[in-house]
């Protein structure tokens, strides 16, 4: 997977950036983690998650097993500290051989984009569950006061039992994956994300424009975005080159055809010369025979 880009920004309201991301093309591993906790604990938690996943994937572990291991690693760090409740979300994609594995805990999201934006992950929070059951509308979910309350996260407390979401599917040519923290999705709508993905030509330009849009909308949280995969060349371009080729062939055929103006001129010359000759022949025949 050669085409990808990632970016993280602290935003305008937070003193720390507790988000982090990883884009390891060699492993095919891409992730976003969004840490929480007092002082600098959130940064520590998200970094533990990132480093644990990378280390475990290098030894051939599955994504889901690595996420369980990251949960234990954050809990171990909590045990080493006094009064820490640090935690982190994670959304991770393992991309190889035209397929992707995506696993997540919390409300950092994965989307697929192929001209249309489709959310792959489902946030681990009660509001998303209510939305899935049809108890509330997407508009109500977007502004619900408890939309950021998580039903599971990595670390925080040993009493939390995690059940990572997990999806495996084929990655079509031209299909892109977008991973992000809620600093993006709380600031701009899916429609805005889709438009930016459509307008920008490369993963780097898409990532830059998405982060910029979240900052323009207020930048109230850390914002992190990873885009994986090259953008599909619009089908209009292919049709355009085909049209150009046809146009050239038509022009070549037209060049070989006799010019219509020349044909009309010859017809007139034959008419002008032919009529007097015919009259003369008729006169000679009438006169002498
Ligand atoms: Ca956040």
């Amino acid at each position: 997977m050669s085409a990808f880009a990632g970016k993280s920004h602290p935003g305008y309201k937070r003193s720390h950036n507790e988000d982090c991301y990883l884009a390891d093309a060699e492993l095919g591993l891409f992730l976003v983690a969004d840490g929480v906790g007092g002082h600098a604990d959130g940064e520590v938690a998200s970094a533990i998650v990132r480093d644990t996943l990378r280390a475990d994937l290098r030894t051939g572990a599955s994504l889901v097993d690595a996420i369980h291991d990251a949960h234990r690693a954050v809990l171990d760090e909590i045990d080493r500290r006094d009064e820490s409740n640090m935690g982190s979300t994670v959304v991770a994609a393992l991309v190889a051989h035209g397929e992707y594995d995506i696993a997540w805990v919390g409300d950092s999201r994965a989307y697929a984009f192929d001209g249309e934006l489709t959310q792959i992950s489902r946030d681990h929070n009660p509001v998303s569950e209510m939305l899935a059951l049809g108890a509330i509308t997407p508009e109500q979910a977007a502004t619900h006061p408890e939309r950021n309350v998580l039903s599971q996260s990595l670390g925080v407390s040993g009493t939390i039992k995690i059940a990572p979401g997990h999806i495996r599917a084929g990655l079509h040519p031209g299909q892109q994956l977008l991973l992000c923290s809620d600093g993006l999705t709380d600031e701009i709508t899916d429609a805005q994300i889709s438009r930016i993905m459509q307008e920008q030509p490369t993963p780097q330009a898409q990532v830059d424009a998405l982060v910029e849009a979240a900052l323009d909308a207020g930048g109230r949280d850390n914002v992190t975005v990873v885009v994986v995969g090259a953008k599909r060349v619009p089908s209009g371009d292919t049709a355009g080159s085909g049209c150009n080729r046809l146009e050239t062939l038509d022009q070549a055929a037209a060049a070989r055809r006799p010019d219509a103006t020349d044909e009309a001129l010859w017809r007139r010359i034959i008419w002008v010369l032919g009529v007097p000759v015919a009259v003369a022949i008729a006169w000679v025949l009438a006169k002498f025979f």
Side-chain angles (χ1 to χ4, degrees):
M1 182 54 64
S2 56
F4 61 89
K7 188 171 192 170
S8 189
H9 192 288
Y12 296 141
K13 307 292 183 189
R14 303 284 177 94
S15 57
H16 297 274
N17 189 351
E18 297 179 320
D19 286 359
C20 70
Y21 73 91
L22 174 71
D24 187 327
E26 196 180 328
L27 269 177
L29 177 63
F30 305 85
L31 69 84
V32 168
D34 177 355
V36 291
H39 311 294
D41 282 7
E43 290 169 69
V44 174
S46 60
I48 289 171
V49 169
R50 177 196 61 204
D51 296 344
T52 304
L53 258 68
R54 179 162 49 183
D56 285 9
L57 267 292
R58 277 182 176 155
T59 64
S62 76
L63 212 44
V64 169
D65 284 349
I67 288 175
H68 280 285
D69 199 26
H71 180 46
R72 287 189 291 270
V74 178
L75 291 174
D76 287 348
E77 184 59 27
I78 289 172
D79 287 344
R80 281 191 283 272
R81 297 175 175 227
D82 289 332
E83 296 180 9
S84 175
N85 61 347
M86 69 169 75
S88 180
T89 71
V90 71
V91 59
L94 187 62
V95 182
H97 312 303
E99 286 193 334
Y100 64 78
D101 253 343
I102 285 180
W104 72 96
V105 167
D107 61 359
S108 296
R109 289 184 183 169
Y111 292 87
F113 181 77
D114 60 359
E116 281 186 29
L117 189 74
T118 307
Q119 187 175 336
I120 297 172
S121 60
R122 185 197 291 177
D123 300 348
H124 288 132
N125 67 30
V127 173
S128 288
E129 298 302 326
M130 286 191 286
L131 178 63
L133 292 170
I136 55 173
T137 66
E139 292 73 25
Q140 289 171 319
T143 57
H144 197 286
E146 293 179 3
R147 66 186 182 281
N148 296 118
V149 175
L150 299 182
S151 53
Q152 57 173 300
S153 59
L154 305 180
V156 181
S157 165
T159 61
I160 292 177
K161 292 278 178 279
I162 63 162
H166 180 221
I167 288 174
R168 175 179 291 179
L171 186 66
H172 314 304
Q175 188 179 32
Q176 296 181 291
L177 300 176
L178 164 65
L179 311 178
C180 63
S181 63
D182 64 347
L184 179 74
T185 49
D186 279 352
E187 294 291 11
I188 64 174
T189 64
D190 283 4
Q192 289 171 293
I193 292 172
S194 183
R195 196 176 66 242
I196 290 168
M197 292 294 285
Q198 189 74 55
E199 287 172 353
Q200 301 300 324
T202 64
Q204 188 64 59
Q206 289 167 318
V207 160
D208 289 344
L210 287 167
V211 171
E212 198 62 37
L215 296 175
D216 287 347
R220 285 163 287 193
D221 195 0
N222 309 144
V223 53
T224 303
V225 180
V226 173
V227 169
V228 185
K231 197 174 175 189
R232 184 177 60 184
V233 177
S235 57
D237 285 5
T238 309
S241 57
C243 284
N244 289 340
R245 193 171 66 248
L246 285 172
E247 202 170 271
T248 306
L249 290 172
D250 284 349
Q251 286 166 349
R256 287 194 298 273
R257 252 195 329 263
D259 190 278
T261 311
D262 292 348
E263 281 181 14
L265 182 63
W266 278 111
R267 230 179 277 124
R268 188 176 297 172
I269 289 169
I270 290 167
W271 177 253
V272 168
L273 293 176
V275 170
V277 168
V279 169
I281 291 170
W283 184 82
V284 168
L285 289 173
K287 180 99 177 159
F288 297 101
F289 297 97

